[in-house]
């Protein structure tokens, strides 16, 4: 689910249909309650991270042009919310992407 902005309940419904949930820059926004809840509640094995470039740059670049070099900021916020290392977020979401795209 590209640039997911729905609720935890909707994310769970999507996962039940065998979709992955992709989070981008909005999860880093200070007032982004729903994406933060999704990041906390949805198991890492069902998450992807993305840029949605050129839109939705993560904090502190909000409102500017987004680019792939900013993806680590999304991973850092997910790691913080889950209380795990950014390396674990990177490894698992990379594995999820590899599996999804057959690469």
């Amino acid at each position: 689910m590209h640039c997911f902005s729905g609720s935890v309940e909707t994310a769970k419904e999507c996962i039940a249909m065998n979709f992955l949930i992709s989070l981008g820059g909005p999860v880093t926004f200070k007032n982004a309650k729903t994406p933060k809840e999704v990041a906390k509640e949805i198991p890492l094995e069902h998450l992807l991270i993305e840029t949605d470039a050129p839109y939705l740059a993560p904090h502190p670049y909000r409102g500017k042009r987004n680019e792939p070099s900013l993806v680590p900021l999304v991973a850092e916020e997910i790691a913080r919310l889950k209380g795990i290392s950014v390396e674990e977020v990177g490894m698992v979401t990379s594995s999820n992407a590899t599996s999804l795209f057959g690469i």
Side-chain angles (χ1 to χ4, degrees):
M1 297 300 295
H2 166 66
C3 200
F4 188 78
S5 62
S7 67
V8 171
E9 294 77 19
T10 301
K12 289 178 179 178
E13 291 173 9
C14 292
I15 291 166
M17 293 185 285
N18 209 30
F19 288 107
L20 294 175
I21 305 301
S22 187
L23 299 174
V27 76
T28 69
F29 300 167
K30 291 177 183 175
N31 63 346
K33 180 181 175 191
T34 302
K36 289 180 187 299
E37 289 173 352
V38 169
K40 280 191 238 181
E41 296 295 323
I42 297 303
L44 195 54
E45 293 73 21
H46 298 289
L47 292 180
L48 297 169
I49 55 177
E50 65 171 294
T51 63
D52 196 36
Y55 308 107
L56 298 172
H59 177 80
Y61 301 97
R62 188 174 183 177
K64 297 186 175 20
R65 181 178 172 82
N66 201 357
E67 58 185 64
S69 67
L70 301 178
V71 167
L73 296 171
V74 176
E76 288 169 8
E77 180 63 7
I78 293 170
R80 186 189 72 76
L81 291 165
K82 289 189 161 302
I84 60 176
S85 72
V86 70
E87 292 81 12
E88 182 176 359
V89 172
M91 286 189 325
V92 175
T93 58
S94 292
S95 176
N96 294 345
T98 298
S99 177
L100 175 66
F101 296 112
I103 52 177

